[in-house]
Amino acid sequence: MCRRIRDAVVVSVPGEIDALTAPQLLPAIERCVADGPPPRLPLVDLTSVTFLGSPGLKALLDVQAFSGRRDLPIRVVAADNRHATRPLQINRPGQGTDRSKRG
Amino acid sequence: MGATRNGPLHLLLPAIPVAVRDARLHLGNWLQRERWPDQPSDDISYGVSEAVTNAVEHAYPPDVDGATVTVIAEVELLPLSMRRVRVRVSDHGRWRPIPQVPDGRGRGFMLMNGLMDEVLVARGDGATMGTEVVLLSPSVPAVSG
């Protein structure tokens, strides 16, 4: 699940991030970051995610808080995988509810 | 006339986490049979997943026997050759207020609102009736033939 590219630890998350699987995200990243010589900047790879629900978004926030505490800048890569980019885009604070709606 | 190709989708699922995936798979197949365009179809599946997640995680106390979630989806024809999907996700559990601070549940409703044209919540009395979430999808052109 983790692979090292220069100063980054790439954590690939394939498949569905839902209520069943979301709780595994933070522990997986903690394990990857704990392994090998520093620096270990976590990079969460969502390019092969097939579903990202609200429990997954919450888990990503937990990951962000964890990396903030460790002073490890985190990067999230989704490329053009709409299963990940769509929920992330809606969940962005202040942009979730201002989509214009028909009456 | 033919409002839909297949008729409504009616799912009765146990209120357990895997129901979210089941609902999404059945709904995706049903939308495909309705020849719904891919991205709007995905958005409907994401939105309904949130409603089912909400029912599974929040409607029932732990270890309740016979806890279920019902998903009913139907196509509605609109003027100007447009159509949309109306999905009703209902449980028989207890309504709990949506927190203002987006926790998991608030975030779920935020997603539903961002993905759907309209999200309506009908609360039951907590005794005989649970919560029903009604999701109206954005409209897409009707298909002919």
Side-chain angles (χ1 to χ4, degrees), chain A residues 7-93:
Chain A
D7 60 349
V9 185
V10 181
V11 186
S12 298
V13 192
E16 311 192 325
I17 313 183
D18 57 13
L20 280 176
T21 56
Q24 300 162 22
L25 185 64
L26 181 58
I29 283 162
E30 284 173 338
R31 275 197 303 277
C32 291
V33 167
D35 244 11
R40 296 175 288 257
L41 306 181
L43 190 154
V44 183
D45 178 2
L46 301 178
T47 51
S48 51
V49 154
T50 55
F51 175 73
L52 176 61
S54 57
L57 294 169
K58 166 72 167 55
L60 284 171
L61 284 181
D62 293 343
V63 168
Q64 206 170 31
F66 159 80
S67 63
R69 285 194 301 274
R70 300 288 186 88
D71 209 18
L72 295 168
I74 191 165
R75 283 167 287 174
V76 175
V77 177
D80 58 355
N81 178 12
R82 192 172 183 274
H83 294 309
T85 56
R86 185 76 170 119
L88 285 169
Q89 165 207 1
I90 292 170
N91 191 53
R92 203 168 296 152

Side-chain angles (χ1 to χ4, degrees), chain B residues 15-103:
Chain B
I16 54 176
V18 77
V20 179
R21 186 176 306 174
D22 288 346
R24 192 166 57 250
L25 291 177
H26 286 294
L27 186 68
N29 290 337
W30 180 79
L31 286 164
Q32 203 167 35
R33 290 198 298 275
E34 294 288 345
R35 290 204 241 155
W36 217 261
D38 286 349
Q39 293 195 349
S41 168
D42 282 344
D43 282 0
I44 296 169
S45 291
Y46 302 152
V48 170
S49 295
E50 295 304 326
V52 176
T53 299
N54 184 54
V56 167
E57 299 211 311
H58 303 288
Y60 299 100
D63 305 322
V64 169
D65 280 339
T68 56
V69 183
T70 305
V71 178
I72 297 169
E74 54 200 324
V75 174
E76 294 181 343
L77 293 181
L78 303 173
L80 306 171
S81 295
M82 299 298 279
R83 55 183 177 149
R84 71 178 172 196
V85 174
R86 174 184 296 263
V87 187
R88 285 177 286 153
V89 177
S90 48
D91 59 59
H92 306 283
R94 185 160 68 84
W95 169 259
R96 300 180 198 182
I98 301 165
Q100 291 300 307
V101 183
D103 64 347

